[in-house]
Amino acid sequence: MEQRINIRLIIISIVAVMATAVSVTFVYYELFQEQVKKDLRIEAGLIGENSITEYEDNENIRITLIAGDGSVLFDNDADAQTLSNHKDRPEVADAFDKGSGESVRKSDTMNMRTFYYAMLLPNGNVLRVAKEARSMMNMFLSVFPVIILVVAAIIFLCVMIGYYLTQKLLQPIKEMAENLDYASEVSVYRELSPFVDRIREQHEDILNAVRSRQDFTANVSHELKTPLTAISGYAGLIENEMVGEDKQVRFAGEIRKNADRLISLINDIIRLSELDHNDCVGEFTQIDLYEVARDRYELLRDNGRDKNIEVSLEGESCIITSSRAMMIELIDNLVQNGIRYNVPNGRVTIQVHKSENQAVLTVADTGIGIPKEEQDRVFERFYRVDKSRSRETGGTGLGLAIVKHIVEIHDGSIELESEPGKGTRIVVKL
Ligand code: ADP
């Protein structure tokens, strides 16, 4: 990357330097040419025919006097006799024609040009002055060493700037890569923020996922251990014949109860893991939520009756796209909780109705309620407000986590209102 930045900077700089050098030479040469021509005109004016001989040995300027027929009368640079007729030289022809003329021709000397100015004298002869001056190429070549020096300096600067820029660009990324845990403390420039924020979020998500997996594993182990320890204890006593016949049935019952708890726990764990991986979520079809609730109602009402709780159902038909199995799980979990955490002679009301294109399922009870500070946490895996009551009533601490998962799969929402001593109301919108 650094190399690429350097190469680009160098190319841009060289192009810029060359373009500047060429255009400056071009403009400057135009001015220089004008100046040479102007000088020649002034000098021609000063010389006049009479003082020509004074320039015999002047090597800076060539003076030629041409007669009306084009023959050369005098030339301070060559023998006038040997020179050919000058009438057809453009500047001479112009002078005869219009009084003055000028032209520029390539010199015999490399990279030089000769500037001519000719003027008609009162006596009919033409006086021509000529001077050699640098050509544009000559001028450009003379600044070439300077250009090379500037380019070398620029290449050095580009390498330095390229290094500095890449360091500056990469510094936050390097810092973050070295320690992603402190990514939020690394200060980044504006353009990098969206990328860095995304990385930070993902890193946080990964950390949270790892943390909750670790918590979950620890919780699962703990939850499994309790009933297994009880089973092992009861079985050990029976094995060592320490249980009288009268108590054997009770002990066998305890073993069965704990085994049932293990089964419920394992079922719930498997279900959560399936939902996590979107496995076994059932086929999504058009189903009537009210009809599903009515199907479950009989069984739930019997469950409630066993505990002196009155379960009622009201509502209207609500068609949703969902899996029937998941809706059964959702309703059962919420109503079972309503029954489990209720008071004697309490009530649980199931309500299904439509609201703004959504199906709304409300399960309200007149039970013990949930303290405000624990209301958010009850959806966490294995979180229980009253542990012993949950265990006694066959709870696993996973019911509401499963409910929340099912609602998320449907892109729905779940709200919980509860007041200790008065009851709880859970509203699910799908
Ligand atoms: P559990 O299997 O223990 O019922 P849940 O995930 O279903 O697990 O619920 C978590 C905890 O939230 C329960 O242990 C209970 O303390 C509390 N809870 C759930 N529903 C109710 C309710 N309707 N009334 C009072 N407390 C509730």
Side-chain angles (χ1 to χ4, degrees):
M1 187 64 192
E2 188 181 329
Q3 212 177 7
R4 261 195 260 167
I5 292 181
N6 280 342
I7 291 173
R8 271 172 211 176
L9 280 176
I10 290 170
I11 291 174
I12 293 170
S13 318
I14 292 179
V15 169
V17 168
M18 294 307 274
T20 314
V22 168
S23 48
V24 165
T25 310
F26 193 77
V27 170
Y28 179 70
Y29 193 75
E30 283 294 310
L31 294 173
F32 169 76
Q33 208 167 240
E34 280 309 310
Q35 191 59 47
V36 172
K37 286 178 185 170
K38 200 169 152 197
D39 288 353
L40 274 181
R41 280 200 293 274
I42 293 170
E43 276 191 70
L46 287 174
I47 295 167
E49 197 169 357
N50 304 332
S51 52
I52 274 183
T53 41
E54 286 169 28
Y55 289 84
E56 194 91 53
D57 300 322
N58 192 329
E59 283 180 6
N60 290 328
I61 192 159
R62 183 178 169 193
I63 296 168
T64 318
L65 189 65
I66 300 133
D69 61 357
S71 59
V72 178
L73 301 172
F74 170 84
D75 192 300
N76 69 344
D77 194 41
D79 183 1
Q81 309 299 317
T82 60
L83 292 170
S84 60
N85 191 297
H86 270 37
K87 194 141 195 172
D88 55 348
R89 306 285 157 97
E91 70 282 3
V92 178
D94 275 356
F96 279 124
D97 222 22
K98 304 174 207 156
S100 71
E102 54 186 29
S103 68
V104 183
R105 285 195 286 280
K106 244 176 120 183
S107 281
D108 296 336
T109 324
M110 248 235 307
N111 289 334
M112 296 295 271
R113 298 175 91 199
T114 309
F115 290 75
Y116 296 94
Y117 177 74
M119 69 180 203
L120 188 63
L121 297 173
N123 62 6
N125 288 342
V126 162
L127 172 73
R128 188 186 74 173
V129 286
K131 213 177 194 177
E132 251 195 344
R134 294 147 152 251
S135 68
M136 187 150 20
M137 183 48 99
N138 180 310
M139 204 164 269
F140 185 72
L141 288 178
S142 66
V143 290
F144 206 70
V146 181
I147 294 176
I148 298 285
L149 262 175
V150 172
V151 166
I154 281 177
I155 290 177
F156 176 72
L157 258 176
C158 287
V159 172
M160 301 294 287
I161 292 172
Y163 176 77
Y164 174 77
L165 278 181
T166 37
Q167 287 305 307
K168 199 105 183 106
L169 282 171
L170 294 177
Q171 187 60 27
I173 299 174
K174 274 187 193 162
E175 269 180 44
M176 273 182 63
E178 274 162 23
N179 202 340
L180 264 179
D181 288 341
Y182 294 101
S184 53
E185 287 166 27
V186 177
S187 63
V188 294
Y189 42 92
R190 191 166 42 89
E191 293 81 355
L192 200 62
S193 299
F195 170 71
V196 168
D197 289 347
R198 190 89 192 90
I199 297 276
R200 280 176 190 155
E201 269 171 36
Q202 285 190 345
H203 184 63
E204 276 295 311
D205 289 350
I206 292 169
L207 286 183
N208 285 339
V210 169
R211 241 174 264 138
S212 73
R213 190 156 300 165
Q214 283 169 345
D215 287 353
F216 186 65
T217 313
N219 281 329
V220 166
S221 315
H222 180 76
E223 294 290 333
L224 294 177
K225 206 173 152 192
T226 319
L228 275 175
T229 312
I231 291 171
S232 170
Y234 290 126
L237 291 175
I238 297 171
E239 189 183 22
N240 294 320
E241 294 172 0
M242 289 167 77
V243 181
E245 242 172 61
D246 53 326
K247 285 187 184 155
Q248 275 188 6
V249 173
R250 191 169 73 76
F251 275 44
E254 287 298 333
I255 290 175
R256 192 200 43 78
K257 237 166 64 188
N258 279 291
D260 283 351
R261 240 185 91 198
L262 275 177
I263 292 167
S264 315
L265 252 172
I266 288 165
N267 280 340
D268 278 358
I269 292 167
I270 291 172
R271 188 61 189 142
L272 260 180
S273 139
E274 284 171 353
L275 291 172
D276 271 344
H277 297 103
N278 262 344
D279 273 354
C280 301
V281 287
E283 197 191 337
F284 271 58
T285 51
Q286 300 271 308
I287 54 166
D288 183 350
L289 186 60
Y290 181 71
E291 196 203 302
V292 179
R294 211 180 43 209
D295 274 1
R296 303 302 293 164
Y297 176 57
E298 211 169 303
L299 187 97
L300 293 166
R301 191 189 50 196
D302 292 348
N303 278 352
R305 196 172 289 151
D306 292 347
K307 284 159 191 147
N308 260 336
I309 310 289
E310 187 196 323
V311 179
S312 61
L313 169 71
E314 56 193 63
E316 54 180 335
S317 159
C318 276
I319 307 294
I320 56 167
T321 308
S322 174
S323 114
R324 192 179 170 82
M326 261 200 272
M327 286 304 106
I328 291 176
E329 265 178 298
L330 183 93
I331 295 168
D332 281 7
N333 268 310
L334 292 177
V335 178
Q336 295 285 13
N337 277 353
I339 298 171
R340 236 185 248 147
Y341 305 104
N342 219 317
V343 289
N345 300 318
R347 265 180 294 116
V348 177
T349 318
I350 314 164
Q351 210 183 46
V352 180
H353 72 272
K354 279 184 242 169
S355 164
E356 295 166 13
N357 244 351
Q358 278 187 314
V360 183
L361 166 76
T362 310
V363 177
D365 63 59
T366 54
I368 58 172
I370 305 167
K372 192 116 201 102
E373 61 279 9
E374 312 209 50
Q375 286 177 7
D376 280 338
R377 302 209 59 192
V378 290
F379 294 98
E380 289 173 20
R381 296 169 184 198
F382 294 116
Y383 191 85
R384 295 159 167 127
V385 180
D386 180 348
K387 284 194 180 56
S388 58
R389 182 168 182 145
S390 163
R391 286 209 181 104
E392 268 166 34
T393 52
T396 58
L398 295 173
L400 286 181
I402 292 174
V403 165
K404 192 178 161 200
H405 226 315
I406 291 175
V407 174
E408 277 169 4
I409 289 174
H410 288 78
D411 275 336
S413 66
I414 183 160
E415 279 165 35
L416 183 148
E417 295 160 24
S418 184
E419 208 176 310
K422 283 204 169 160
T424 304
R425 184 184 157 86
I426 293 184
V427 182
V428 174
K429 289 182 186 164
L430 300 172

